[in-house]
Amino acid sequence: YDALGIEFASRGRRLSEQIGLLRKYWQESLFSFEGEFDQLDRGNINVRPNRQIPIWLGGFSEIAFKRAGELGDGFMFAGDYDHCWEGRTRVEHHLAENGRLSDDFGFELLTLRARSPEEAAETVKRWEDSGGTHASIVTMKCGLNGLQEHLDFIKKTRDLLG
């Protein structure tokens, strides 16, 4: 943000505005846009996508959960399971406040705390059993050396999940 000369504190408002701007690009053949941060006179893209591109958000704060409930198509949670579950209930609350169904929303857990394939598989299974839709296996900080050890960790986790 410093390198761009942009105030860091405005990042959330900018993100919300830019989600709307992106969706205009994807949905309208020609449009103008006047936002707090961005202005555009007669913008378009060719070829527009034939469907809405999902926008997934993430974060750790109530404002991030609220933004996702208002504007997002999914949310990526990171950290310990209980904290992520708590965040998920907040996102679901904001989805409901906006008249949106959680059935149409993605909930992804990044397995940041799992240090073995067994722990990763157990965490993913618990997330899946509680209604999580996606998971990413994180191998950082697991004491692994080289690409093959990371790949083996992920493969073993996959095998444990069946």
Side-chain angles (χ1 to χ4, degrees):
Y1 289 87
D2 287 341
L4 295 172
I6 296 172
E7 183 183 338
F8 183 74
S10 70
R11 72 193 182 285
R13 292 191 333 272
R14 285 179 180 279
L15 175 60
S16 294
E17 180 176 297
Q18 290 174 352
I19 289 171
L21 178 57
L22 284 171
R23 289 192 170 138
K24 279 188 160 297
Y25 271 118
W26 299 334
Q27 295 168 352
E28 299 181 28
S29 59
L30 185 66
F31 69 95
S32 294
F33 184 85
E34 186 71 31
E36 179 183 354
F37 303 101
D38 299 300
Q39 296 77 39
L40 181 67
D41 184 27
R42 296 173 304 204
N44 75 345
I45 58 171
N46 285 314
V47 171
R48 287 190 322 279
N50 59 8
R51 65 178 181 86
Q52 180 174 305
I53 297 171
I55 297 177
W56 286 52
L57 302 167
F60 302 96
S61 66
E62 187 66 22
I63 192 69
F65 303 146
K66 182 177 181 184
R67 182 178 298 111
E70 292 173 356
L71 302 172
D73 299 303
F75 198 90
M76 296 170 282
F77 299 92
D80 66 82
Y81 177 88
D82 292 333
H83 181 75
C84 293
W85 176 254
E86 197 176 292
R88 180 180 163 183
T89 61
R90 297 305 305 146
V91 171
E92 287 175 327
H93 166 81
H94 292 295
L95 286 167
E97 275 193 336
N98 287 281
R100 301 177 65 200
L101 300 174
S102 61
D103 296 349
D104 301 328
F105 195 86
F107 296 96
E108 179 175 12
L109 175 67
L110 284 67
T111 61
L112 289 182
R113 301 290 189 257
R115 295 292 175 252
S116 70
E118 293 78 12
E119 287 179 14
E122 179 183 320
T123 302
V124 168
K125 182 73 171 120
R126 188 173 172 202
W127 185 250
E128 182 181 64
D129 289 346
S130 65
T133 61
H134 297 74
S136 292
I137 307 305
V138 178
T139 59
M140 296 181 303
K141 298 183 181 177
C142 290
L144 304 174
N145 296 305
L147 175 62
Q148 193 58 53
E149 287 187 18
H150 289 271
L151 293 172
D152 291 344
F153 185 107
I154 293 168
K155 181 184 181 306
K156 185 169 183 184
T157 304
R158 183 199 64 199
D159 292 347
L160 290 166
L161 288 167

